Amino acid sequence: MLLGGLAVTLLVFLVVHSCSDPPVAEECGNGIDDDGDQLADCDDSDCFDHPSCQAGDGDGDGDVDGDGDGDGDGDGDGDGDVDADADEVDADQDVVPCDPSVEVCDYTCERDEDCALALDMLDCCGGYPHEFMGLTIACPTAVHRDRIASSACVIPWASGDPIPEVPEECSPFCDGVSCRACSDIGRAVCNDEGQCVGLAAVDGCLHDDDCGDGRSCVDADHDGLFQCVDGVQECETSEDCLLDHPLCEVCDCLDNNGDSLRECSCYGCEGTECFEDIDCDSHYFCEDNVCVYAGSNACRVTAGLLECRTCFVCEPSEENPERGRCVRDPDC
C-alpha cells in the first residue's frame, strides 16, 4: 500500500507540472527580474555571458555602478563625487573638512571655484551689519567655500541679496570700531598665492596681463581691489630699475607721482641721468631721465632762492607748479 501511495503522488505531480507554463528565461538588459529568482539582468547568472553584461553593468554607460551616468560613483548625478548634489565642485561628500572651533584650518584655494562671496558675521566691518553714513550695511568678502561649510557665521552672498539675520552665536564686539564704505566687489577668485580675493565689479583684475595693451592692473582706491586703468607700469621690482638704469646706485619701483602706476626712482646716478628735477643742477629740468638745460632763468620752486639772483623769485608755471622762471621780486 505504501508503494502504491507514492506512485499515485508521483503521478499527480508529473501531471500537474506537465500542464503548467514553461519556465520564463531572464531577459538581459530590460531592468526586470523575468525568471523570478530575485536577480535582474546582469546580476542574474543567466546573463553573465551576455555581451551587455561583459562590457559593464548593463546600463550602457561604461561603468559598473548601475546608475547610468558614466562616472562610476553610484550616486546618479554625474559629477564624479559621491554626495549626490551634482555641484561638480566639492567632490568631498559634503563632509565639513575642518572644525575651526577646535583646530587651525587651512583655507588655501587651488582654483576660482574654491572661492565665493560671503558675509562674515564675525567681521565688524565685513558681513556683520553696521552703520555707515546713516545706513545699515554689510560688506561682502571673498572666502574659501570650506569656511562657509565650516561656520554658521559665514553666510553665502550674491549681489542684490538682502542682509540676513545674524545667527545668535555670531555677535562680535564692535564697540568703537569705525568702518569705511563697502568695496565694490564683483566676484571671488583664487590668486597666485592660494588666497581667495575679491575682484572689482568693474574692470576687476589680478595682473597687468588681464588688462590688455596700454592698461595696467592697480589698486587705485587703495581698498584692496585691483582694477584696469589706462597707463603702463614702468617696472615690477627695484631690480628691474637697476637693470634699466645701470649708472645709478639705488633704485625703487613704486608710485612716485600718485597716479597709481609704478615708476623707477633712482639715486646716486652718474652723468646726466635723472628721475626728478632735484637730481639735476641749477637751471636744468629732468626730461625722460636726462637733465636738460632749460635756460638761465629756469628754476625749481623748491630751490628758487638758490637758483635766482638777488631780488628775484621763482614763479611757478601753470603747466608744472614745481617748475618756474626767475622773475623780479616787486617787494625787493
Side-chain angles (χ1 to χ4, degrees):
M1 289 297 294
L2 180 59
L3 293 175
L6 291 174
V8 172
T9 301
L10 178 60
L11 178 62
V12 171
F13 176 83
L14 293 174
V15 170
V16 170
H17 284 272
S18 64
C19 297
S20 63
D21 295 333
V24 177
E26 182 68 24
E27 182 178 341
C28 306
N30 65 356
I32 300 174
D33 176 18
D34 303 288
D35 58 7
D37 62 357
Q38 308 302 313
L39 298 172
D41 298 344
C42 296
D43 292 330
D44 194 314
S45 60
D46 295 339
C47 293
F48 284 175
D49 294 331
H50 194 276
S52 66
C53 297
Q54 291 180 340
D57 55 13
D59 61 11
D61 65 5
D63 59 23
V64 293
D65 57 11
D67 63 4
D69 61 16
D71 63 7
D73 59 15
D75 63 5
D77 63 13
D79 66 0
D81 58 29
V82 293
D83 55 14
D85 62 5
D87 58 12
E88 300 183 1
V89 173
D90 60 15
D92 60 6
Q93 305 179 46
D94 284 344
V95 176
V96 176
C98 178
D99 184 356
S101 65
V102 297
E103 56 186 312
V104 177
C105 300
D106 179 11
Y107 294 120
T108 302
C109 59
E110 296 181 357
R111 52 186 179 172
D112 291 346
E113 290 81 0
D114 294 336
C115 304
L117 295 181
L119 298 179
D120 186 352
M121 294 298 179
L122 296 178
D123 184 347
C124 291
C125 293
Y128 191 75
H130 56 277
E131 296 294 319
F132 180 80
M133 302 291 289
L135 299 174
T136 299
I137 62 174
C139 299
T141 54
V143 302
H144 197 291
R145 290 183 183 274
D146 286 350
R147 281 204 66 207
I148 299 176
S150 307
S151 174
C153 298
V154 183
I155 302 173
W157 181 89
S159 179
D161 285 354
I163 300 176
E165 292 290 332
V166 180
E168 188 173 341
E169 68 271 27
C170 310
S171 297
F173 182 77
C174 298
D175 290 351
V177 176
S178 178
C179 301
R180 58 182 293 174
C182 296
S183 299
D184 188 17
I185 185 171
R187 63 189 179 97
V189 297
C190 182
N191 69 12
D192 297 338
E193 289 74 42
Q195 300 170 328
C196 289
V197 297
L199 283 189
V202 178
D203 283 337
C205 59
L206 287 178
H207 310 285
D208 289 344
D209 292 342
D210 300 333
C211 300
D213 294 340
R215 309 193 79 199
S216 300
C217 186
V218 302
D219 182 8
D221 299 328
H222 304 289
D223 60 357
L225 297 182
F226 285 76
Q227 294 175 276
C228 293
V229 300
D230 293 336
V232 178
Q233 310 270 18
E234 185 176 311
C235 54
E236 288 288 337
T237 66
S238 297
E239 286 72 19
D240 295 338
C241 296
L242 286 171
L243 290 175
D244 292 338
H245 304 283
L247 298 179
C248 301
E249 294 179 3
V250 179
C251 287
D252 293 322
C253 177
L254 41 81
D255 177 16
N256 297 297
N257 54 20
D259 64 355
S260 300
L261 299 171
R262 295 185 300 271
E263 302 93 20
C264 289
S265 178
C266 301
Y267 311 94
C269 306
E270 298 178 10
T272 61
E273 187 167 16
C274 60
F275 294 85
E276 299 178 81
D277 289 344
I278 199 66
D279 297 333
C280 302
D281 293 334
S282 296
H283 312 303
Y284 282 78
F285 292 152
C286 186
E287 302 287 354
D288 296 327
N289 297 124
V290 177
C291 291
V292 178
Y293 183 65
S296 60
N297 66 339
C299 58
R300 295 161 295 185
V301 173
T302 55
L305 293 178
L306 300 177
E307 296 182 291
C308 297
R309 294 176 295 162
T310 303
C311 288
F312 281 75
V313 295
C314 188
E315 183 178 85
S317 66
E318 293 182 0
E319 295 80 11
N320 188 338
E322 295 183 357
R323 297 177 177 179
R325 295 292 171 181
C326 295
V327 296
R328 181 175 292 277
D329 184 355
D331 298 327
C332 182

